Amino acid sequence: MEVFIRYLHFISIFGIVAALAAEFFLVKDRVNGQEVRWIFRIDGFYGVAAILAVAAGLILWFGIGKPADFYTKNWIFHLKVGLAILLAFLSLPPTIFYFRNRKAKADEIIPVPRYVRFLIRIELFLLVVIPLCAVLMAKGYGYFG
Ligand code: HEM
């Protein structure tokens, strides 16, 4: 069961990375209505993968595997979870932009606000930092118990 939950945590993280990488390449300074619908669907997949990653992570924290204190008393783990929550919040404004423009005509040109592309880049940067926190805390670095 622990192996399955760890696998679920990893595979859903791969899903988050794949969806964000796709958004990075698809979200240009202007997109048409057809492209926005595609990006909105990819963003939906990102959301589902994120929910699965968090659910599996919480089960690994409180449910199975190492004792919960191994993580609760680890500042790098709390940094990791904090960055994951920040990632979730930073993903909201682009989602709202895609949602608001999802009914545009297929050939209608929609200018993409700079903040949308800027936030996608910050999210990708966080996806480089969070796994570093993960491998450190999994080995016990940051444990203060
Ligand atoms: C609230 C969200 C999250 C929670 C509660 C959480 C919790 C956990 C836990 C408890 C483990 C097991 C560590 C161990 O083997 O001791 C783990 C492993 C891992 N997590 Fe998360 N996680 C979360 C989000 C994320 C995110 C967003 C990413 C990447 C973007 C991530 C990447 C990893 C990686 C790479 C490992 C494997 C570390 C290793 O075995 O060396 N996690 N996570």
Side-chain angles (χ1 to χ4, degrees):
M1 184 61 176
E2 184 190 344
V3 171
F4 171 71
I5 299 294
R6 290 178 71 82
Y7 169 73
L8 188 63
H9 196 53
F10 288 164
I11 205 79
S12 51
I13 291 158
F14 296 161
I16 295 172
V17 174
L20 257 178
E23 288 189 25
F24 175 78
F25 290 108
L26 290 173
V27 179
K28 304 173 292 281
D29 54 0
R30 293 180 314 152
V31 289
N32 65 36
Q34 182 58 46
E35 288 168 329
V36 166
R37 274 185 284 289
W38 264 115
I39 296 164
F40 182 57
R41 285 192 206 112
I42 291 168
D43 199 59
F45 173 79
Y46 172 12
V48 172
I51 291 167
L52 284 176
V54 171
L58 291 173
I59 294 170
L60 287 168
W61 181 1
F62 295 112
I64 52 179
K66 299 169 187 168
D69 261 7
F70 180 89
Y71 308 108
T72 311
K73 294 182 178 164
N74 187 312
W75 68 267
I76 297 181
F77 178 74
H78 290 292
L79 174 63
K80 175 190 174 208
V81 172
L83 292 176
I85 294 167
L86 175 64
L87 179 69
F89 278 107
L90 294 181
S91 74
L92 292 177
T95 299
I96 294 167
F97 172 77
Y98 310 143
F99 178 80
R100 286 197 178 132
N101 293 280
R102 73 194 187 288
K103 296 219 165 86
K105 291 197 198 69
D107 56 359
E108 184 183 336
I109 299 298
I110 303 148
V112 177
R114 291 171 75 87
Y115 72 81
V116 170
R117 301 174 71 205
F118 174 71
L119 288 173
I120 292 171
R121 282 162 176 70
I122 302 287
E123 291 177 72
L124 283 168
F125 172 70
L126 288 177
L127 285 180
V128 173
V129 178
I130 297 173
L132 176 61
C133 296
V135 290
L136 286 169
M137 62 85 183
K139 288 290 174 217
Y141 293 100
Y143 184 71
F144 56 79

PDB file of all heavy atoms in Angstrom, residues 80-97:
ATOM      1  N   LYS A  80       8.641  22.662   2.294  1.00  0.00           N
ATOM      2  CA  LYS A  80       8.133  21.983   1.093  1.00  0.00           C
ATOM      3  C   LYS A  80       6.612  22.136   0.973  1.00  0.00           C
ATOM      4  O   LYS A  80       6.097  22.518  -0.069  1.00  0.00           O
ATOM      5  CB  LYS A  80       8.494  20.506   1.158  1.00  0.00           C
ATOM      6  CG  LYS A  80       7.921  19.698   0.026  1.00  0.00           C
ATOM      7  CD  LYS A  80       8.093  18.221   0.265  1.00  0.00           C
ATOM      8  CE  LYS A  80       7.367  17.483  -0.819  1.00  0.00           C
ATOM      9  NZ  LYS A  80       6.896  16.180  -0.392  1.00  0.00           N
ATOM     10  N   VAL A  81       5.911  21.868   2.080  1.00  0.00           N
ATOM     11  CA  VAL A  81       4.450  21.983   2.053  1.00  0.00           C
ATOM     12  C   VAL A  81       4.034  23.445   1.842  1.00  0.00           C
ATOM     13  O   VAL A  81       3.110  23.734   1.083  1.00  0.00           O
ATOM     14  CB  VAL A  81       3.837  21.400   3.348  1.00  0.00           C
ATOM     15  CG1 VAL A  81       2.344  21.683   3.418  1.00  0.00           C
ATOM     16  CG2 VAL A  81       4.114  19.902   3.430  1.00  0.00           C
ATOM     17  N   GLY A  82       4.762  24.378   2.465  1.00  0.00           N
ATOM     18  CA  GLY A  82       4.481  25.805   2.282  1.00  0.00           C
ATOM     19  C   GLY A  82       4.638  26.212   0.822  1.00  0.00           C
ATOM     20  O   GLY A  82       3.789  26.917   0.261  1.00  0.00           O
ATOM     21  N   LEU A  83       5.714  25.715   0.168  1.00  0.00           N
ATOM     22  CA  LEU A  83       5.933  26.036  -1.246  1.00  0.00           C
ATOM     23  C   LEU A  83       4.865  25.385  -2.125  1.00  0.00           C
ATOM     24  O   LEU A  83       4.447  25.945  -3.134  1.00  0.00           O
ATOM     25  CB  LEU A  83       7.332  25.579  -1.672  1.00  0.00           C
ATOM     26  CG  LEU A  83       8.502  26.339  -1.055  1.00  0.00           C
ATOM     27  CD1 LEU A  83       9.837  25.734  -1.488  1.00  0.00           C
ATOM     28  CD2 LEU A  83       8.446  27.823  -1.417  1.00  0.00           C
ATOM     29  N   ALA A  84       4.392  24.180  -1.714  1.00  0.00           N
ATOM     30  CA  ALA A  84       3.328  23.518  -2.472  1.00  0.00           C
ATOM     31  C   ALA A  84       2.028  24.323  -2.387  1.00  0.00           C
ATOM     32  O   ALA A  84       1.312  24.470  -3.373  1.00  0.00           O
ATOM     33  CB  ALA A  84       3.125  22.099  -1.936  1.00  0.00           C
ATOM     34  N   ILE A  85       1.747  24.888  -1.194  1.00  0.00           N
ATOM     35  CA  ILE A  85       0.549  25.726  -1.028  1.00  0.00           C
ATOM     36  C   ILE A  85       0.696  27.013  -1.843  1.00  0.00           C
ATOM     37  O   ILE A  85      -0.254  27.443  -2.515  1.00  0.00           O
ATOM     38  CB  ILE A  85       0.316  26.019   0.473  1.00  0.00           C
ATOM     39  CG1 ILE A  85      -0.038  24.731   1.208  1.00  0.00           C
ATOM     40  CG2 ILE A  85      -0.767  27.085   0.663  1.00  0.00           C
ATOM     41  CD1 ILE A  85       0.004  24.831   2.722  1.00  0.00           C
ATOM     42  N   LEU A  86       1.921  27.602  -1.824  1.00  0.00           N
ATOM     43  CA  LEU A  86       2.180  28.807  -2.638  1.00  0.00           C
ATOM     44  C   LEU A  86       1.952  28.492  -4.120  1.00  0.00           C
ATOM     45  O   LEU A  86       1.298  29.252  -4.847  1.00  0.00           O
ATOM     46  CB  LEU A  86       3.616  29.288  -2.407  1.00  0.00           C
ATOM     47  CG  LEU A  86       4.081  30.463  -3.260  1.00  0.00           C
ATOM     48  CD1 LEU A  86       3.274  31.715  -2.963  1.00  0.00           C
ATOM     49  CD2 LEU A  86       5.579  30.713  -3.047  1.00  0.00           C
ATOM     50  N   LEU A  87       2.435  27.330  -4.564  1.00  0.00           N
ATOM     51  CA  LEU A  87       2.250  26.898  -5.954  1.00  0.00           C
ATOM     52  C   LEU A  87       0.764  26.851  -6.303  1.00  0.00           C
ATOM     53  O   LEU A  87       0.339  27.327  -7.353  1.00  0.00           O
ATOM     54  CB  LEU A  87       2.880  25.507  -6.135  1.00  0.00           C
ATOM     55  CG  LEU A  87       2.781  24.850  -7.500  1.00  0.00           C
ATOM     56  CD1 LEU A  87       3.625  25.581  -8.530  1.00  0.00           C
ATOM     57  CD2 LEU A  87       3.223  23.383  -7.417  1.00  0.00           C
ATOM     58  N   ALA A  88      -0.028  26.305  -5.368  1.00  0.00           N
ATOM     59  CA  ALA A  88      -1.482  26.211  -5.600  1.00  0.00           C
ATOM     60  C   ALA A  88      -2.096  27.595  -5.776  1.00  0.00           C
ATOM     61  O   ALA A  88      -2.884  27.815  -6.697  1.00  0.00           O
ATOM     62  CB  ALA A  88      -2.126  25.475  -4.435  1.00  0.00           C
ATOM     63  N   PHE A  89      -1.702  28.534  -4.920  1.00  0.00           N
ATOM     64  CA  PHE A  89      -2.265  29.894  -5.026  1.00  0.00           C
ATOM     65  C   PHE A  89      -1.816  30.590  -6.311  1.00  0.00           C
ATOM     66  O   PHE A  89      -2.624  31.244  -6.984  1.00  0.00           O
ATOM     67  CB  PHE A  89      -1.873  30.733  -3.798  1.00  0.00           C
ATOM     68  CG  PHE A  89      -2.761  30.496  -2.612  1.00  0.00           C
ATOM     69  CD1 PHE A  89      -2.305  29.786  -1.516  1.00  0.00           C
ATOM     70  CD2 PHE A  89      -4.068  30.966  -2.612  1.00  0.00           C
ATOM     71  CE1 PHE A  89      -3.139  29.538  -0.436  1.00  0.00           C
ATOM     72  CE2 PHE A  89      -4.908  30.735  -1.528  1.00  0.00           C
ATOM     73  CZ  PHE A  89      -4.439  30.018  -0.441  1.00  0.00           C
ATOM     74  N   LEU A  90      -0.534  30.415  -6.685  1.00  0.00           N
ATOM     75  CA  LEU A  90      -0.028  31.080  -7.890  1.00  0.00           C
ATOM     76  C   LEU A  90      -0.673  30.516  -9.159  1.00  0.00           C
ATOM     77  O   LEU A  90      -0.700  31.170 -10.194  1.00  0.00           O
ATOM     78  CB  LEU A  90       1.489  30.909  -7.979  1.00  0.00           C
ATOM     79  CG  LEU A  90       2.324  31.598  -6.902  1.00  0.00           C
ATOM     80  CD1 LEU A  90       3.808  31.363  -7.147  1.00  0.00           C
ATOM     81  CD2 LEU A  90       2.022  33.084  -6.839  1.00  0.00           C
ATOM     82  N   SER A  91      -1.210  29.303  -9.055  1.00  0.00           N
ATOM     83  CA  SER A  91      -1.840  28.689 -10.236  1.00  0.00           C
ATOM     84  C   SER A  91      -3.253  29.239 -10.474  1.00  0.00           C
ATOM     85  O   SER A  91      -3.817  29.031 -11.537  1.00  0.00           O
ATOM     86  CB  SER A  91      -1.927  27.161 -10.047  1.00  0.00           C
ATOM     87  OG  SER A  91      -2.943  26.852  -9.105  1.00  0.00           O
ATOM     88  N   LEU A  92      -3.810  29.963  -9.479  1.00  0.00           N
ATOM     89  CA  LEU A  92      -5.206  30.419  -9.607  1.00  0.00           C
ATOM     90  C   LEU A  92      -5.435  31.527 -10.641  1.00  0.00           C
ATOM     91  O   LEU A  92      -6.327  31.388 -11.488  1.00  0.00           O
ATOM     92  CB  LEU A  92      -5.746  30.843  -8.232  1.00  0.00           C
ATOM     93  CG  LEU A  92      -5.919  29.706  -7.216  1.00  0.00           C
ATOM     94  CD1 LEU A  92      -6.382  30.264  -5.878  1.00  0.00           C
ATOM     95  CD2 LEU A  92      -6.883  28.663  -7.758  1.00  0.00           C
ATOM     96  N   PRO A  93      -4.641  32.635 -10.637  1.00  0.00           N
ATOM     97  CA  PRO A  93      -4.931  33.693 -11.633  1.00  0.00           C
ATOM     98  C   PRO A  93      -4.891  33.200 -13.088  1.00  0.00           C
ATOM     99  O   PRO A  93      -5.802  33.534 -13.866  1.00  0.00           O
ATOM    100  CB  PRO A  93      -3.854  34.742 -11.347  1.00  0.00           C
ATOM    101  CG  PRO A  93      -3.473  34.513  -9.928  1.00  0.00           C
ATOM    102  CD  PRO A  93      -3.579  33.036  -9.701  1.00  0.00           C
ATOM    103  N   PRO A  94      -3.894  32.375 -13.498  1.00  0.00           N
ATOM    104  CA  PRO A  94      -3.959  31.855 -14.875  1.00  0.00           C
ATOM    105  C   PRO A  94      -5.234  31.031 -15.115  1.00  0.00           C
ATOM    106  O   PRO A  94      -5.876  31.165 -16.154  1.00  0.00           O
ATOM    107  CB  PRO A  94      -2.710  30.973 -14.979  1.00  0.00           C
ATOM    108  CG  PRO A  94      -1.759  31.543 -13.999  1.00  0.00           C
ATOM    109  CD  PRO A  94      -2.623  32.006 -12.854  1.00  0.00           C
ATOM    110  N   THR A  95      -5.619  30.196 -14.122  1.00  0.00           N
ATOM    111  CA  THR A  95      -6.840  29.378 -14.270  1.00  0.00           C
ATOM    112  C   THR A  95      -8.057  30.267 -14.481  1.00  0.00           C
ATOM    113  O   THR A  95      -8.897  29.999 -15.345  1.00  0.00           O
ATOM    114  CB  THR A  95      -7.039  28.496 -13.014  1.00  0.00           C
ATOM    115  OG1 THR A  95      -5.916  27.631 -12.890  1.00  0.00           O
ATOM    116  CG2 THR A  95      -8.311  27.679 -13.095  1.00  0.00           C
ATOM    117  N   ILE A  96      -8.124  31.347 -13.688  1.00  0.00           N
ATOM    118  CA  ILE A  96      -9.267  32.277 -13.826  1.00  0.00           C
ATOM    119  C   ILE A  96      -9.249  32.914 -15.215  1.00  0.00           C
ATOM    120  O   ILE A  96     -10.297  33.046 -15.850  1.00  0.00           O
ATOM    121  CB  ILE A  96      -9.209  33.342 -12.706  1.00  0.00           C
ATOM    122  CG1 ILE A  96      -9.438  32.683 -11.352  1.00  0.00           C
ATOM    123  CG2 ILE A  96     -10.220  34.462 -12.969  1.00  0.00           C
ATOM    124  CD1 ILE A  96      -9.090  33.553 -10.155  1.00  0.00           C
ATOM    125  N   PHE A  97      -8.075  33.266 -15.745  1.00  0.00           N
ATOM    126  CA  PHE A  97      -7.973  33.859 -17.093  1.00  0.00           C
ATOM    127  C   PHE A  97      -8.467  32.864 -18.149  1.00  0.00           C
ATOM    128  O   PHE A  97      -9.274  33.216 -19.014  1.00  0.00           O
ATOM    129  CB  PHE A  97      -6.520  34.258 -17.384  1.00  0.00           C
ATOM    130  CG  PHE A  97      -6.296  34.696 -18.801  1.00  0.00           C
ATOM    131  CD1 PHE A  97      -6.689  35.953 -19.217  1.00  0.00           C
ATOM    132  CD2 PHE A  97      -5.739  33.819 -19.722  1.00  0.00           C
ATOM    133  CE1 PHE A  97      -6.514  36.348 -20.532  1.00  0.00           C
ATOM    134  CE2 PHE A  97      -5.548  34.209 -21.036  1.00  0.00           C
ATOM    135  CZ  PHE A  97      -5.948  35.471 -21.442  1.00  0.00           C
TER     136      PHE A  97
END
